[in-house]
Amino acid sequence: MLRLPSFAKINLGLEVLGVRQDGYHELRTIFQTIDLRDDILIRSGGRDLTVSCDHPAVPAGRQNLAWRAADELRRFAKRTDGVEIRITKRIPVAGGLGGGSSNAAAVLLGLDRLWRLGLGPEDLHRIARRIGADVPYFLVGGTALGLGRGDEVYPLWRQIRIHVVVADPGRALSTAAVFARLDRSLTPRENSNKIFRFISRDLEGKGTAFPILANDLEEAALEEAPDLAGQVRHIRGILVREGAVAASLSGSGSSLFGLFDDPQRARRAHAALAAEGLSAFRGRTLSLDQYRGAWRRSLGLEGRRPR
Ligand code: C5P
């Protein structure tokens, strides 16, 4: 049996470059893991593949990405063992924070260890991208550039360490629906190079560079869920008023995050959101090393040479 952490991500910026031949969208994004986490318990035995979760909106069967991860890995490894997966949910569901994809990556890493498969990054990546476009990123974590469908992942030299406040408007948004809405949008989008500028130059200036980043999915998300517009404006207003160096929708929404250089300001922003009855989280970004360290500890790999 293994007990594993499964961290959330935010998108520090997200550019949609166009539609691809495979129907997916060509993206440029900066992924960033944060210390908001689900807990995953994996037990191997019997013949059945089961997923249970303490959150009622999380599906139990093959629609659950964690179920699909176990299924794919079983096939790949030509195993017939059953797997029991239990998820304790803290990451908002369908909130743009990658919870389902992160759970799937946790199952891949956990079963690789439980079954002593010794799969390398290439095999794990190949399996991960079949499950979902965000799953490969969660095999890596930290501050990383995402290209292609988001499944080409390049860890960045500079890892961003900053305080984060996430607000969850409690409204699930379908990623597929938001992308489809973007395609129907009448507003032409201009491709920009903000993300590359951010990485190559502006990153040196710490917090000052964040405001150039934007999320191209925000307009489409608000068209898909017009009832959210007021709340998004309200939440962003609170984050900015309390001193966020950037405030943005994460992924396809509906969660918003604020970045804070100063922990006191982050604390005040969190308190202000909670005072309004909003569900909010306050924490920090997790660097590549911190993410890897958390994994190695829970997989019992500490002290061994990294593969
Ligand atoms: O890969 P995943 O199943 O997480 O993606 C969910 C949906 O989001 C896809 O079915 C697709 O409609 C949309 N998507 C996209 N372009 C991407 C990633 C996701 O159009 N790069």
Side-chain angles (χ1 to χ4, degrees), residues 30-174:
I30 297 175
F31 288 117
Q32 175 65 63
T33 31
I34 59 174
D35 58 0
L36 168 61
R37 59 181 270 188
D38 292 342
D39 287 317
I40 312 257
L41 202 121
I42 306 179
R43 207 190 307 257
S44 181
R47 293 243 163 255
D48 296 337
L49 198 50
T50 61
V51 176
S52 58
C53 181
D54 59 350
H55 191 298
V58 174
R62 84 175 40 242
Q63 290 119 295
N64 191 305
L65 296 185
W67 191 98
R68 290 198 27 222
D71 188 49
E72 290 277 355
L73 199 68
R74 221 163 47 155
R75 263 178 236 264
F76 185 88
K78 299 189 171 53
R79 309 265 309 208
T80 52
D81 318 45
V83 184
E84 182 193 348
I85 300 165
R86 282 203 226 159
I87 305 169
T88 305
K89 235 331 125 190
R90 290 190 209 91
I91 305 174
V93 179
L97 300 169
S101 304
S102 172
N103 294 171
V107 168
L108 293 181
L109 292 168
L111 284 179
D112 177 45
R113 177 81 181 127
L114 267 183
W115 291 342
R116 311 230 180 260
L117 302 175
L119 297 179
E122 282 109 77
D123 281 335
L124 286 170
H125 184 273
R126 197 170 308 130
I127 302 167
R129 64 200 294 274
R130 282 208 292 270
I131 302 163
D134 282 354
V135 183
Y137 163 67
F138 286 103
L139 298 173
V140 180
T143 312
L145 175 67
L147 301 179
R149 302 184 314 162
D151 53 0
E152 289 172 36
V153 183
Y154 301 91
L156 293 179
W157 175 249
R158 183 186 273 272
Q159 295 288 303
I160 294 168
R161 292 168 195 266
I162 199 161
H163 301 271
V164 182
V165 174
V166 177
D168 167 29
R171 162 78 148 85
L173 263 177
S174 149

Side-chain angles (χ1 to χ4, degrees), residues 86-285:
R86 282 203 226 159
I87 305 169
T88 305
K89 235 331 125 190
R90 290 190 209 91
I91 305 174
V93 179
L97 300 169
S101 304
S102 172
N103 294 171
V107 168
L108 293 181
L109 292 168
L111 284 179
D112 177 45
R113 177 81 181 127
L114 267 183
W115 291 342
R116 311 230 180 260
L117 302 175
L119 297 179
E122 282 109 77
D123 281 335
L124 286 170
H125 184 273
R126 197 170 308 130
I127 302 167
R129 64 200 294 274
R130 282 208 292 270
I131 302 163
D134 282 354
V135 183
Y137 163 67
F138 286 103
L139 298 173
V140 180
T143 312
L145 175 67
L147 301 179
R149 302 184 314 162
D151 53 0
E152 289 172 36
V153 183
Y154 301 91
L156 293 179
W157 175 249
R158 183 186 273 272
Q159 295 288 303
I160 294 168
R161 292 168 195 266
I162 199 161
H163 301 271
V164 182
V165 174
V166 177
D168 167 29
R171 162 78 148 85
L173 263 177
S174 149
T175 303
V178 172
F179 274 108
R181 180 75 60 171
L182 184 82
D183 295 339
R184 291 197 296 276
S185 160
L186 294 174
T187 324
R189 275 170 297 108
E190 298 246 340
N191 286 335
S192 82
N193 278 315
K194 286 181 178 160
I195 284 184
F196 279 142
R197 269 178 43 212
F198 179 84
I199 291 168
S200 61
R201 183 160 51 85
D202 300 299
L203 205 52
E204 301 305 322
K206 268 189 92 185
T208 52
F210 288 113
I212 70 161
L213 296 176
N215 184 339
D216 283 355
L217 293 177
E218 177 159 337
E219 213 176 291
L222 295 182
E223 278 177 30
E224 178 62 20
D227 52 296
L228 261 182
Q231 218 174 352
V232 165
R233 216 175 307 120
H234 184 58
I235 293 171
R236 199 195 308 267
I238 295 174
L239 293 169
V240 171
R241 186 189 74 210
E242 299 298 341
V245 293
S248 171
L249 198 74
S250 185
S252 57
S254 61
S255 291
L256 279 102
F257 66 85
L259 304 177
F260 294 85
D261 286 330
D262 173 9
Q264 297 296 344
R265 288 184 175 169
R267 198 165 291 132
R268 280 201 291 272
H270 181 259
L273 292 164
E276 306 244 352
L278 285 154
S279 158
F281 161 83
R282 179 173 61 87
R284 307 183 65 132
T285 53

